[in-house]
mmCIF file with all atom_site columns, all heavy atoms in Angstrom:
data_model
loop_
_atom_site.group_PDB
_atom_site.id
_atom_site.type_symbol
_atom_site.label_atom_id
_atom_site.label_alt_id
_atom_site.label_comp_id
_atom_site.label_asym_id
_atom_site.label_entity_id
_atom_site.label_seq_id
_atom_site.pdbx_PDB_ins_code
_atom_site.Cartn_x
_atom_site.Cartn_y
_atom_site.Cartn_z
_atom_site.occupancy
_atom_site.B_iso_or_equiv
_atom_site.pdbx_formal_charge
_atom_site.auth_seq_id
_atom_site.auth_comp_id
_atom_site.auth_asym_id
_atom_site.auth_atom_id
_atom_site.pdbx_PDB_model_num
ATOM 1  N N   . ARG A 1 112 ? -18.974 11.021 13.473  1.00 0.00 ? 112 ARG A N   1
ATOM 2  C CA  . ARG A 1 112 ? -18.226 10.705 12.251  1.00 0.00 ? 112 ARG A CA  1
ATOM 3  C C   . ARG A 1 112 ? -19.256 10.877 11.038  1.00 0.00 ? 112 ARG A C   1
ATOM 4  O O   . ARG A 1 112 ? -20.221 10.157 10.966  1.00 0.00 ? 112 ARG A O   1
ATOM 5  C CB  . ARG A 1 112 ? -17.670 9.335  12.235  1.00 0.00 ? 112 ARG A CB  1
ATOM 6  C CG  . ARG A 1 112 ? -16.573 9.162  13.245  1.00 0.00 ? 112 ARG A CG  1
ATOM 7  C CD  . ARG A 1 112 ? -15.981 7.754  13.348  1.00 0.00 ? 112 ARG A CD  1
ATOM 8  N NE  . ARG A 1 112 ? -17.014 6.890  13.878  1.00 0.00 ? 112 ARG A NE  1
ATOM 9  C CZ  . ARG A 1 112 ? -17.070 5.542  13.617  1.00 0.00 ? 112 ARG A CZ  1
ATOM 10 N NH1 . ARG A 1 112 ? -16.143 5.012  12.827  1.00 0.00 ? 112 ARG A NH1 1
ATOM 11 N NH2 . ARG A 1 112 ? -17.941 4.828  14.137  1.00 0.00 ? 112 ARG A NH2 1
ATOM 12 N N   . ILE A 1 113 ? -19.036 12.000 10.272  1.00 0.00 ? 113 ILE A N   1
ATOM 13 C CA  . ILE A 1 113 ? -20.037 12.335 9.265   1.00 0.00 ? 113 ILE A CA  1
ATOM 14 C C   . ILE A 1 113 ? -19.669 12.078 7.803   1.00 0.00 ? 113 ILE A C   1
ATOM 15 O O   . ILE A 1 113 ? -20.533 12.159 6.930   1.00 0.00 ? 113 ILE A O   1
ATOM 16 C CB  . ILE A 1 113 ? -20.336 13.875 9.423   1.00 0.00 ? 113 ILE A CB  1
ATOM 17 C CG1 . ILE A 1 113 ? -19.077 14.720 9.268   1.00 0.00 ? 113 ILE A CG1 1
ATOM 18 C CG2 . ILE A 1 113 ? -21.045 14.146 10.779  1.00 0.00 ? 113 ILE A CG2 1
ATOM 19 C CD1 . ILE A 1 113 ? -19.322 16.220 9.187   1.00 0.00 ? 113 ILE A CD1 1
ATOM 20 N N   . ALA A 1 114 ? -18.448 11.706 7.547   1.00 0.00 ? 114 ALA A N   1
ATOM 21 C CA  . ALA A 1 114 ? -17.985 11.461 6.206   1.00 0.00 ? 114 ALA A CA  1
ATOM 22 C C   . ALA A 1 114 ? -16.744 10.679 6.251   1.00 0.00 ? 114 ALA A C   1
ATOM 23 O O   . ALA A 1 114 ? -16.103 10.529 7.343   1.00 0.00 ? 114 ALA A O   1
ATOM 24 C CB  . ALA A 1 114 ? -17.797 12.738 5.388   1.00 0.00 ? 114 ALA A CB  1
ATOM 25 N N   . GLN A 1 115 ? -16.246 10.224 5.135   1.00 0.00 ? 115 GLN A N   1
ATOM 26 C CA  . GLN A 1 115 ? -15.015 9.596  4.996   1.00 0.00 ? 115 GLN A CA  1
ATOM 27 C C   . GLN A 1 115 ? -14.131 10.260 3.911   1.00 0.00 ? 115 GLN A C   1
ATOM 28 O O   . GLN A 1 115 ? -14.722 10.713 2.935   1.00 0.00 ? 115 GLN A O   1
ATOM 29 C CB  . GLN A 1 115 ? -15.053 8.079  4.867   1.00 0.00 ? 115 GLN A CB  1
ATOM 30 C CG  . GLN A 1 115 ? -15.923 7.621  3.738   1.00 0.00 ? 115 GLN A CG  1
ATOM 31 C CD  . GLN A 1 115 ? -16.076 6.130  3.770   1.00 0.00 ? 115 GLN A CD  1
ATOM 32 O OE1 . GLN A 1 115 ? -15.269 5.385  4.199   1.00 0.00 ? 115 GLN A OE1 1
ATOM 33 N NE2 . GLN A 1 115 ? -17.265 5.682  3.272   1.00 0.00 ? 115 GLN A NE2 1
ATOM 34 N N   . MET A 1 116 ? -12.857 10.279 4.091   1.00 0.00 ? 116 MET A N   1
ATOM 35 C CA  . MET A 1 116 ? -11.964 10.993 3.154   1.00 0.00 ? 116 MET A CA  1
ATOM 36 C C   . MET A 1 116 ? -10.841 10.045 2.717   1.00 0.00 ? 116 MET A C   1
ATOM 37 O O   . MET A 1 116 ? -10.111 9.491  3.484   1.00 0.00 ? 116 MET A O   1
ATOM 38 C CB  . MET A 1 116 ? -11.367 12.231 3.864   1.00 0.00 ? 116 MET A CB  1
ATOM 39 C CG  . MET A 1 116 ? -10.455 13.032 2.974   1.00 0.00 ? 116 MET A CG  1
ATOM 40 S SD  . MET A 1 116 ? -10.059 14.675 3.678   1.00 0.00 ? 116 MET A SD  1
ATOM 41 C CE  . MET A 1 116 ? -9.251  14.220 5.271   1.00 0.00 ? 116 MET A CE  1
ATOM 42 N N   . GLY A 1 117 ? -10.787 9.881  1.355   1.00 0.00 ? 117 GLY A N   1
ATOM 43 C CA  . GLY A 1 117 ? -9.797  9.086  0.741   1.00 0.00 ? 117 GLY A CA  1
ATOM 44 C C   . GLY A 1 117 ? -8.823  9.927  -0.030  1.00 0.00 ? 117 GLY A C   1
ATOM 45 O O   . GLY A 1 117 ? -9.207  11.078 -0.431  1.00 0.00 ? 117 GLY A O   1
ATOM 46 N N   . PHE A 1 118 ? -7.646  9.469  -0.345  1.00 0.00 ? 118 PHE A N   1
ATOM 47 C CA  . PHE A 1 118 ? -6.614  10.255 -1.092  1.00 0.00 ? 118 PHE A CA  1
ATOM 48 C C   . PHE A 1 118 ? -6.247  9.522  -2.315  1.00 0.00 ? 118 PHE A C   1
ATOM 49 O O   . PHE A 1 118 ? -5.972  8.290  -2.325  1.00 0.00 ? 118 PHE A O   1
ATOM 50 C CB  . PHE A 1 118 ? -5.385  10.415 -0.148  1.00 0.00 ? 118 PHE A CB  1
ATOM 51 C CG  . PHE A 1 118 ? -5.779  11.064 1.144   1.00 0.00 ? 118 PHE A CG  1
ATOM 52 C CD1 . PHE A 1 118 ? -6.006  10.319 2.256   1.00 0.00 ? 118 PHE A CD1 1
ATOM 53 C CD2 . PHE A 1 118 ? -5.860  12.489 1.244   1.00 0.00 ? 118 PHE A CD2 1
ATOM 54 C CE1 . PHE A 1 118 ? -6.381  10.884 3.446   1.00 0.00 ? 118 PHE A CE1 1
ATOM 55 C CE2 . PHE A 1 118 ? -6.260  13.074 2.478   1.00 0.00 ? 118 PHE A CE2 1
ATOM 56 C CZ  . PHE A 1 118 ? -6.506  12.286 3.544   1.00 0.00 ? 118 PHE A CZ  1
ATOM 57 N N   . PHE A 1 119 ? -6.295  10.270 -3.442  1.00 0.00 ? 119 PHE A N   1
ATOM 58 C CA  . PHE A 1 119 ? -6.114  9.641  -4.750  1.00 0.00 ? 119 PHE A CA  1
ATOM 59 C C   . PHE A 1 119 ? -5.231  10.438 -5.655  1.00 0.00 ? 119 PHE A C   1
ATOM 60 O O   . PHE A 1 119 ? -5.120  11.682 -5.555  1.00 0.00 ? 119 PHE A O   1
ATOM 61 C CB  . PHE A 1 119 ? -7.531  9.462  -5.452  1.00 0.00 ? 119 PHE A CB  1
ATOM 62 C CG  . PHE A 1 119 ? -8.503  8.748  -4.585  1.00 0.00 ? 119 PHE A CG  1
ATOM 63 C CD1 . PHE A 1 119 ? -9.321  9.383  -3.716  1.00 0.00 ? 119 PHE A CD1 1
ATOM 64 C CD2 . PHE A 1 119 ? -8.617  7.336  -4.723  1.00 0.00 ? 119 PHE A CD2 1
ATOM 65 C CE1 . PHE A 1 119 ? -10.212 8.692  -2.895  1.00 0.00 ? 119 PHE A CE1 1
ATOM 66 C CE2 . PHE A 1 119 ? -9.466  6.671  -3.914  1.00 0.00 ? 119 PHE A CE2 1
ATOM 67 C CZ  . PHE A 1 119 ? -10.304 7.272  -3.061  1.00 0.00 ? 119 PHE A CZ  1
ATOM 68 N N   . PRO A 1 120 ? -4.489  9.768  -6.618  1.00 0.00 ? 120 PRO A N   1
ATOM 69 C CA  . PRO A 1 120 ? -3.676  10.528 -7.575  1.00 0.00 ? 120 PRO A CA  1
ATOM 70 C C   . PRO A 1 120 ? -4.537  11.284 -8.541  1.00 0.00 ? 120 PRO A C   1
ATOM 71 O O   . PRO A 1 120 ? -5.653  10.897 -8.867  1.00 0.00 ? 120 PRO A O   1
ATOM 72 C CB  . PRO A 1 120 ? -2.870  9.399  -8.321  1.00 0.00 ? 120 PRO A CB  1
ATOM 73 C CG  . PRO A 1 120 ? -3.661  8.169  -8.099  1.00 0.00 ? 120 PRO A CG  1
ATOM 74 C CD  . PRO A 1 120 ? -4.468  8.320  -6.822  1.00 0.00 ? 120 PRO A CD  1
ATOM 75 N N   . VAL A 1 121 ? -3.991  12.383 -9.089  1.00 0.00 ? 121 VAL A N   1
ATOM 76 C CA  . VAL A 1 121 ? -4.706  13.178 -10.015 1.00 0.00 ? 121 VAL A CA  1
ATOM 77 C C   . VAL A 1 121 ? -3.935  13.196 -11.362 1.00 0.00 ? 121 VAL A C   1
ATOM 78 O O   . VAL A 1 121 ? -2.726  13.233 -11.404 1.00 0.00 ? 121 VAL A O   1
ATOM 79 C CB  . VAL A 1 121 ? -4.730  14.682 -9.560  1.00 0.00 ? 121 VAL A CB  1
ATOM 80 C CG1 . VAL A 1 121 ? -5.343  15.614 -10.601 1.00 0.00 ? 121 VAL A CG1 1
ATOM 81 C CG2 . VAL A 1 121 ? -5.512  14.759 -8.269  1.00 0.00 ? 121 VAL A CG2 1
ATOM 82 N N   . TYR A 1 122 ? -4.673  13.064 -12.436 1.00 0.00 ? 122 TYR A N   1
ATOM 83 C CA  . TYR A 1 122 ? -4.162  13.131 -13.740 1.00 0.00 ? 122 TYR A CA  1
ATOM 84 C C   . TYR A 1 122 ? -4.650  14.393 -14.418 1.00 0.00 ? 122 TYR A C   1
ATOM 85 O O   . TYR A 1 122 ? -5.866  14.603 -14.505 1.00 0.00 ? 122 TYR A O   1
ATOM 86 C CB  . TYR A 1 122 ? -4.548  11.876 -14.599 1.00 0.00 ? 122 TYR A CB  1
ATOM 87 C CG  . TYR A 1 122 ? -3.980  10.598 -14.028 1.00 0.00 ? 122 TYR A CG  1
ATOM 88 C CD1 . TYR A 1 122 ? -4.790  9.841  -13.119 1.00 0.00 ? 122 TYR A CD1 1
ATOM 89 C CD2 . TYR A 1 122 ? -2.713  10.200 -14.265 1.00 0.00 ? 122 TYR A CD2 1
ATOM 90 C CE1 . TYR A 1 122 ? -4.312  8.714  -12.571 1.00 0.00 ? 122 TYR A CE1 1
ATOM 91 C CE2 . TYR A 1 122 ? -2.198  9.048  -13.694 1.00 0.00 ? 122 TYR A CE2 1
ATOM 92 C CZ  . TYR A 1 122 ? -2.993  8.307  -12.851 1.00 0.00 ? 122 TYR A CZ  1
ATOM 93 O OH  . TYR A 1 122 ? -2.421  7.178  -12.336 1.00 0.00 ? 122 TYR A OH  1
#
Side-chain angles (χ1 to χ4, degrees):
R112 293 179 292 154
I113 57 170
Q115 52 188 329
M116 181 169 58
F118 304 94
F119 303 91
V121 173
Y122 296 94

